[in-house]
Amino acid sequence: IAENNRREAEAVQGYTEQLALIQQTKEAYADDGGALAFLTSLEAETQEKIADELSHSNSLNAEYTEMTGIVPKED
């Protein structure tokens, strides 16, 4: 479970880097409506992928807690 959760975190990291590149590209093509529309769509799709990976991570944490009985500390 921990290994799978690590992979989810790596995916989030990669998608976060992708978002930064999309933003840079949007700035470079600020005057190109067609490019901006595509990049905005790509940005939304990438954000959705991040949301999915975060959901997977939450699920894996819940599975780990269920299997071990170890719960996250409350702040």
Side-chain angles (χ1 to χ4, degrees), residues 1-2 9 12-13 15 17-18 22 26-27 29-30 32 34 39-41 44 47 49 52 54 61-63 65 68 72:
I1 290 173
V12 168
Q13 181 181 10
Y15 289 134
E17 291 170 6
Q18 181 174 319
I22 291 169
K26 284 175 74 173
E27 291 169 9
Y29 287 87
D32 184 335
L39 291 165
T40 299
S41 174
Q47 289 170 343
K49 290 174 186 170
D52 287 345
L54 293 174
N61 284 336
E63 289 174 12
T65 294
T68 66

Side-chain angles (χ1 to χ4, degrees), residues 24-65:
Q24 289 175 4
T25 307
K26 284 175 74 173
E27 291 169 9
Y29 287 87
D31 296 331
D32 184 335
L36 283 178
F38 168 75
L39 291 165
T40 299
S41 174
L42 184 59
E43 181 178 46
E45 291 172 13
T46 304
Q47 289 170 343
E48 180 65 26
K49 290 174 186 170
I50 291 172
D52 287 345
E53 300 301 339
L54 293 174
S55 177
H56 298 160
S57 182
N58 287 341
S59 175
L60 288 165
N61 284 336
E63 289 174 12
Y64 184 86
T65 294

